[in-house]
Amino acid sequence: MQKKPLHLTGIALGHIAFILAVFLSPLSAIAANVTLAWDANDPEPEGYRVFAREEGQSYDYQSPLWEGDETTCTLTGLVEGTTYYFVVRAYDGTLESADSEEVSYTPAATVTNQAPSASAGDSQTVYEGDAVTLDGTASSDSDGSIASYLWEQTGGTSITISGTAQAQATFTAPVVDTDGESLTFSLTVTDDDGSTSVATTTVNVLKSDSTDRDGDNVPDVLDAFPEDPTEWADNDSDGIGDNADSDDDNDGMPDQWESEYGLDPYTDDAGLDADGDGVSNLEEYEAQTDPVASMANTVPDTPTIESVYADEFVGLTPVLISGAYFDPDSDDHYQSQWQISTENDFSELVLDETSTTQLTAYQVGDMVLDYDTVYYWRVRFIDTRSGESEWSEVSSFITAESSDDTDTDGVPDDQEVSESVDLNENGIDDALEDDLKPINTVEGQTVVGVKAVSGNITLFSVKSISSETVPDQSVDMIFGLIGFKLYLDEVGAAATVTIYFSTTVDESSQLYKYDSDTGWEVYEDSVFAEDRKSVTLTLVDGGTGDEDGVANGIIVDPSGISSVGSDTASVSSSSESSSSSGGGGGGGGCFITTITQENGPWIDMAWQWLKRKFRAWH
């Protein structure tokens, strides 16, 4: 009997459902799988064949991707991001149905998480005590968001960080050594997919000009013992502070003994012979004899001066003049000691200066004297064998009433700063700060300010002084001289001030002071700020930097900034000459009176000063 042929009529593929899972092959990140399912055909065929094509291609019915008798299959090795088209055919023997309904599928491209980018901000340079912000706000995540921050310190003096889990963290810069210190930090950021990134930054902490850890009113940058409130200097560098050291110049003679006999306790003068008797100072100490009194020495005659009438008014920088020097045993005139006081018994001194150059004429420096005040003065001569004459008679004078500071704010009227300035860059108008006084300079056309740094002082007055008032013109002052007067809570104490400039001074600039005996000298107890817009200096009442030369609770300091070349780096006064003479001579003198060339070079200099002062007074 003949067999009836099998007719495949309309394989029902009305629904092809996708059960789709994308699997990444361990060997390839672009392979994906797809599972196809379809309805069974009725009548049931021998099996099914699955065909596939890509966009723009035709089906290859000779090469099915899958063949079997089930109504579902999983195809592997599909390329992510490529669109595929699928049809199913039922077959029975050599018979094959038409295509089912065509379906398509595009495997999604697998997205790999991108790690975030951490940014801890640029390196910073700050001063100790400054508030510092660590800034991680520039951190980012290209395919998501930053989920967390973590700041950690990785190096330097340990500090406490606030906001370690925030984009911005803060801390206070610690106290550091003179050379400064670098603190290092790391920032770890984590994105919303759990990936992390780390960045680092450095904060360089500089020593502040005003930091005073031990509270002795000497900033650490100038303090040889920054953690000892009882010490700040070590003259002989032996590791023992000058206050505790009984021999500050290490010359074998105790400071007390040297001071008692008028020797210098800060200079090694052991091998010198103060009284010229052939016995050195050290030998005198060891024998416990007087090092400054030779039995053969006769002291100079008492200086003569003429009194000034009480109703005669003078300016604030008068020249004191004595009569000629005379020594019975012909010793040369070595020094003269000048004293000024507001008391006729000299119980309180305004000035006490011993000079080797201003021997018979002494010009009082700027800012030593006050207006409308009666002053008494006297002088005595000292010969080359340290023989001291008797004090001269006491003379007096009255300073004129104030005419240049009508508002009594401590700044001359013509040097007042009219516009708002903030020289110390603290966000406060300098005119509103009690401990800072800004002035217009008479030279350099700039603004400078003086600030009282240590808490034991009151800044009384500030003044810009023309450098022409100094006879030695070998050093060019950038802003002229800056003078200031301080009142101290304690007699003999140290005081620290900062001078601010409205412009930056160059690296070669230094702070200079002028001394009539030694000429121009670099003031060593000073430190310039990193930005070269200020200098901090420490002075001692009656000692280093104090113009009046006496511990009286007042410090007067005129100094200036100069930039000098190698040809004038070491300068001294060459315009002064001693008016010392041998034996003989005598005669009277007077205070601010007619002076002739016969009195010598020093007197001629004094006369030139006097002419300038008289022009200013009148």
Side-chain angles (χ1 to χ4, degrees):
M1 180 165 112
Q2 185 176 5
K3 185 180 272 189
K4 187 175 179 179
L6 176 64
H7 297 282
L8 299 178
T9 58
I11 296 177
L13 299 172
H15 174 70
I16 296 180
F18 290 93
I19 304 173
L20 174 62
V22 179
F23 302 98
L24 294 179
S25 166
L27 300 178
S28 173
I30 63 171
N33 304 333
V34 64
T35 298
L36 303 176
W38 57 90
D39 294 334
N41 191 70
D42 185 20
E44 182 179 356
E46 181 182 341
Y48 302 92
R49 294 186 180 104
V50 176
F51 301 93
R53 71 178 179 88
E54 296 180 17
E55 184 76 37
Q57 297 178 350
S58 300
Y59 289 108
D60 181 2
Y61 295 112
Q62 302 301 314
S63 303
L65 284 183
W66 177 88
E67 184 176 329
D69 59 2
E70 298 181 3
T71 58
T72 182
C73 73
T74 297
L75 304 178
T76 62
L78 304 183
V79 178
E80 296 174 354
T82 300
T83 300
Y84 295 90
Y85 298 87
F86 304 96
V87 294
V88 178
R89 286 185 174 187
Y91 70 91
D92 197 333
T94 59
L95 298 179
E96 190 173 73
S97 72
D99 291 346
S100 68
E101 179 185 352
E102 185 178 57
V103 295
S104 65
Y105 171 65
T106 304
T110 300
V111 179
T112 303
N113 180 48
Q114 300 297 313
S117 174
S119 172
D122 295 333
S123 296
Q124 305 179 59
T125 299
V126 301
Y127 286 96
E128 53 188 3
D130 285 354
V132 183
T133 297
L134 300 173
D135 190 355
T137 56
S139 300
S140 61
D141 185 30
S142 61
D143 59 353
S145 60
I146 303 296
S148 67
Y149 298 84
L150 177 61
W151 288 98
E152 296 177 291
Q153 184 180 4
T154 57
T157 297
S158 179
I159 49 88
T160 299
I161 306 176
S162 298
T164 56
Q166 306 298 319
Q168 289 184 319
T170 60
F171 68 92
T172 300
V175 174
V176 297
D177 292 333
T178 303
D179 295 334
E181 185 177 348
S182 294
L183 311 182
T184 55
F185 302 87
S186 69
L187 170 63
T188 302
V189 295
T190 305
D191 68 11
D192 49 0
D193 284 315
S195 294
T196 61
S197 177
V198 179
T200 61
T201 190
T202 300
V203 177
N204 299 306
V205 184
L206 302 179
K207 192 70 183 175
S208 172
D209 294 344
S210 58
T211 299
D212 182 13
R213 281 179 286 176
D214 56 12
D216 59 2
N217 296 311
V218 178
D220 293 350
V221 291
L222 298 174
D223 197 334
F225 304 90
E227 298 181 356
D228 183 352
T230 66
E231 297 288 355
W232 52 84
D234 183 10
N235 182 70
D236 54 8
S237 303
D238 61 356
I240 303 174
D242 289 349
N243 293 330
D245 195 344
S246 61
D247 185 8
D248 283 327
D249 53 11
N250 205 26
D251 61 359
M253 300 179 293
D255 296 342
Q256 182 177 357
W257 186 83
E258 289 197 68
S259 297
E260 179 182 348
Y261 289 105
L263 303 181
D264 187 351
Y266 295 102
T267 301
D268 184 352
D269 49 5
L272 301 182
D273 181 9
D275 54 11
D277 61 357
V279 180
S280 71
N281 295 338
L282 179 60
E283 291 171 333
E284 297 265 21
Y285 165 69
E286 292 172 342
Q288 288 298 296
T289 54
D290 189 340
V292 295
S294 171
M295 296 302 295
N297 186 38
T298 303
V299 300
D301 285 358
T302 303
T304 59
I305 60 174
E306 290 187 6
S307 299
V308 174
Y309 295 107
D311 59 353
E312 183 173 346
F313 293 93
V314 299
L316 297 186
T317 57
V319 177
L320 313 180
I321 300 176
S322 75
Y325 170 84
F326 184 85
D327 187 279
D329 53 5
S330 301
D331 291 323
D332 285 341
H333 191 173
Y334 176 51
Q335 293 175 318
S336 290
Q337 184 177 0
W338 305 86
Q339 289 185 344
I340 300 177
S341 175
T342 54
E343 307 295 329
N344 60 8
D345 62 356
F346 292 82
S347 56
E348 295 184 7
L349 294 177
V350 173
L351 178 142
D352 186 8
E353 284 288 340
T354 300
S355 175
T356 58
T357 58
Q358 302 191 71
L359 297 177
T360 56
Y362 180 88
Q363 182 176 34
V364 182
D366 267 294
M367 308 189 77
V368 173
L369 306 179
D370 293 327
Y371 287 108
D372 194 22
T373 303
V374 177
Y375 289 100
Y376 302 91
W377 71 278
R378 63 185 182 180
V379 61
R380 66 178 174 184
F381 294 151
I382 304 169
D383 65 21
T384 52
R385 288 191 284 172
S386 301
E388 299 175 345
S389 72
E390 297 293 329
W391 285 105
S392 68
E393 294 183 357
V394 175
S395 186
S396 66
F397 58 89
I398 306 174
T399 51
E401 295 183 358
S402 174
S403 60
D404 64 353
D405 184 16
T406 55
D407 58 1
T408 65
D409 64 349
V411 177
D413 296 340
D414 60 354
Q415 296 177 14
E416 296 272 6
V417 178
S418 58
E419 299 180 355
S420 176
V421 294
D422 182 17
L423 296 173
N424 59 349
E425 299 178 354
N426 65 348
I428 303 174
D429 186 346
D430 292 344
L432 302 179
E433 299 191 54
D434 294 335
D435 56 357
L436 195 156
K437 295 184 185 295
I439 58 171
N440 288 309
T441 61
V442 296
E443 296 177 19
Q445 297 180 335
T446 189
V447 177
V448 301
V450 179
K451 177 182 175 63
V453 176
S454 47
N456 65 328
I457 59 177
T458 299
L459 179 60
F460 179 72
S461 59
V462 178
K463 181 180 181 182
S464 175
I465 305 169
S466 172
S467 58
E468 292 183 357
T469 59
V470 177
D472 183 353
Q473 297 291 301
S474 63
V475 175
D476 183 22
M477 296 287 104
I478 299 175
F479 311 130
L481 295 173
I482 306 301
F484 53 85
K485 177 179 282 191
L486 307 172
Y487 287 116
L488 285 70
D489 294 344
E490 180 183 353
V491 173
T496 301
V497 301
T498 297
I499 303 175
Y500 292 95
F501 324 123
S502 58
T503 58
T504 300
V505 300
D506 61 46
E507 291 291 336
S508 66
S509 297
Q510 293 178 294
L511 184 70
Y512 282 81
K513 287 183 64 66
Y514 179 77
D515 181 270
S516 60
D517 287 347
T518 59
W520 288 107
E521 293 181 342
V522 175
Y523 191 65
E524 298 294 346
D525 291 332
S526 60
V527 176
F528 281 84
E530 188 76 15
D531 61 5
R532 304 294 294 182
K533 293 186 70 175
S534 67
V535 60
T536 298
L537 55 152
T538 295
L539 313 101
V540 178
D541 181 26
T544 306
D546 189 3
E547 179 79 2
D548 60 30
V550 60
N552 57 0
I554 301 173
I555 291 179
V556 178
D557 176 68
S559 53
I561 305 298
S562 178
S563 176
V564 297
S566 59
D567 56 335
T568 56
S570 298
V571 291
S572 61
S573 175
S574 59
S575 60
E576 301 161 345
S577 60
S578 172
S579 61
S580 62
S581 62
C590 66
F591 173 84
I592 309 181
T593 185
T594 302
I595 309 171
T596 68
Q597 297 286 350
E598 296 175 358
N599 297 103
W602 222 129
I603 302 303
D604 178 55
M605 187 184 306
W607 174 237
Q608 297 303 319
W609 287 343
L610 273 176
K611 288 193 292 184
R612 287 199 298 269
K613 296 301 177 182
F614 273 119
R615 284 197 296 269
W617 298 334
H618 298 288

